[in-house]
Amino acid sequence: LVLTVAAVAFETLAIATVLPAVVEELGGLHLYGWAFSAFLLTQLVAIVIAGLVADQRGPGLPFAVGVILFAAGLLVGGLAPSMLVLIAGRALQGLGGGAISAIAYVGIGRGYPEEARPRMLALLSTAWVVPGLVGPALSGLIAEGFGWRAVFLALAPLPLLTGVLAFPQLRAMPAGTPAPDARSRTISAVVLAGGAGLFLAGLGNGQLLPALIMVIVGLVLLVPALRRLLPPGTLRAAPGLPATIASMGLLNLAFFGVDVFVPLTLVEVRGSTVAVAGIALTAATMAWSAGSWVQARTAKQVSRRAMTRVGIVLLAVSFLLMMAVLFPTVPLPVGIVGWGIAGLGMGLAYTTLSLAMLELAEPGQEGEGSASLNLAAVLGSGFGAGIGGAFVALLSQEGESLTQALLVQDVVMLSVAALAFVAARGLPGLLPREVDSHAVR
């Protein structure tokens, strides 16, 4: 399972690293954000479906389908003759990656006792270590030496090979307790993805009336579907599981709203190579893993609320450093260090929220809880990339510089991080052993 997640990690880091080279060959800078949003919007549909099927029939089937779709998407992306076809390939990858990520949490929830879950979540985060060490820099070197297509095509066999190893164990795991509204939730996930896509397309449309119509219709579809898919109270960050899921969505919106544009910042604004941009992503990934292990070692000493807020504060500091790097007087290594701090913050906060979800979910419904948490994370990531892509497209149409567009994006994401800090007030503020004794009383 860890190897399969590592395959997804390689792809995620690779596309973020080589996308400036893709745009240089295929064009379509105005579609930059969609290379990420297409992946993330289809991913959220797959997350919901995979979680529900795992509760109904066990995790084996959705895992196998996810692996096949992910590999097929890599082939389509590697052979893409245009930016639109590449985005279609990314959509296929999102379907596969969503199923794989949802099943990873289900496997940990059902396959390990409660005391082992913090270590297993940290181990799952460690699946990003090797990709984080070599993935961005290696993909950058491959793109410069053999072309960016080689990055996609070389990765295609990897998920199939690792999936064969994980499938027998996942197939043997039992089903859980199916949600009574499984069919309606699946329909809601499709409506949610469509509404989110319309909303993001409207933000990037330069014509006022069509943009306004798309944004309004998108919200009309999106908000009710989101209410049906997430636990009651999530949109207002009610204490407990709703606040956990809301915090995860805002955390990912803020982080990935900056992360997907780090290579663009370093390559297009500061003139570095694609390989150097990959080093910044490597620093973030390694620090993320380190933060996950710190969380695992301190899970019984620090409350979920405190640990999450520490991670969010580190994220805000990193955003300020990335804004500074947009100016030529600031040394380029500040960007690498700054994005490493962002990774550390995510390692602390993301893993803490994942653990809180497993602790707060009803027994036998880990699949539904995992699906809700992943849905919030993916939707937040998609909106982060989409909002940034809209700023780049709109300001480019108006003749503004890329530097200004990225600066606006960073300021917006800093505000989102502040909202995440507020939402985290609904997380458990007691130490785990104090929570347990309180529940007994």
Side-chain angles (χ1 to χ4, degrees), residues 63-414:
F63 177 79
V65 173
V67 167
I68 293 170
L69 289 174
F70 186 74
L74 286 172
L75 291 175
V76 172
L79 300 173
S82 67
M83 192 66 169
L84 286 175
V85 176
L86 183 133
I87 290 172
R90 291 285 290 160
L92 277 177
Q93 294 165 36
L95 289 172
I100 291 169
S101 64
I103 297 308
Y105 286 99
V106 173
I108 291 174
R110 292 189 192 154
Y112 291 88
E114 184 176 354
E115 61 271 15
R117 290 174 187 168
R119 287 181 56 83
M120 284 308 304
L121 288 169
L123 183 60
L124 197 64
S125 295
T126 307
W128 290 72
V129 169
V130 174
L133 275 172
V134 303
L138 181 61
S139 60
L141 293 173
I142 292 173
E144 292 176 1
F146 302 97
W148 59 267
R149 297 179 187 277
V151 176
F152 284 86
L153 298 176
L155 284 173
L158 186 58
L160 296 173
L161 294 174
T162 59
V164 168
L165 296 175
F167 179 70
Q169 286 73 29
L170 290 169
R171 184 177 58 180
M173 284 186 180
T177 304
D181 56 349
R183 187 179 297 275
S184 64
R185 285 175 63 85
T186 302
I187 295 173
S188 296
V190 176
V191 172
L192 174 62
L198 273 174
F199 177 82
L200 293 175
L203 288 181
N205 194 308
Q207 298 178 325
L208 180 59
L209 183 59
L212 189 60
I213 292 173
M214 283 190 284
V215 167
I216 292 174
V217 173
L219 287 174
V220 168
L221 294 173
L222 187 154
V223 174
L226 199 58
R227 287 181 179 277
R228 289 192 295 269
L229 287 168
L230 297 179
T234 297
L235 297 185
R236 55 184 174 83
L241 187 60
T244 301
I245 294 171
S247 299
M248 179 66 89
L250 292 168
L251 180 76
N252 278 266
L253 197 160
F255 175 79
F256 288 100
V258 178
D259 179 74
V260 299
F261 298 100
V262 167
L264 203 62
T265 297
L266 299 179
V267 175
E268 298 296 331
V269 176
R270 295 301 305 270
S272 74
T273 65
V274 174
V276 170
I279 294 175
L281 300 182
T282 297
T285 306
M286 293 302 300
W288 187 321
S289 180
S292 296
W293 281 105
V294 169
Q295 183 277 333
R297 290 180 175 274
T298 58
K300 295 183 178 180
Q301 289 79 41
V302 182
S303 74
R304 306 295 178 243
R305 182 193 302 166
M307 184 66 79
T308 299
R309 284 184 158 177
V310 168
I312 293 170
V313 169
L314 290 175
L315 203 61
V317 170
S318 74
F319 290 177
L320 294 173
L321 293 176
M322 292 309 299
M323 281 188 270
V325 172
L326 288 167
F327 300 95
T329 55
V330 177
L332 197 61
V334 171
I336 297 174
V337 174
W339 209 235
I341 294 173
L344 179 62
M346 286 298 287
L348 295 174
Y350 190 101
T351 311
T352 299
L353 291 171
S354 301
L355 182 58
M357 179 275 294
L358 292 176
E359 292 170 344
L360 296 169
E362 293 294 331
Q365 294 188 353
E366 298 88 355
E368 185 176 353
S370 170
S372 296
L373 190 77
N374 278 277
L375 187 151
V378 170
L379 188 63
S381 303
F383 268 95
I387 291 170
F391 282 140
V392 170
L394 287 175
L395 292 179
S396 296
Q397 291 172 8
E398 295 178 2
E400 301 292 344
S401 68
L402 181 60
T403 299
Q404 184 173 348
L406 293 173
L407 186 61
V408 170
Q409 171 72 352
D410 289 344
V411 171
V412 171
M413 293 305 117
L414 187 61

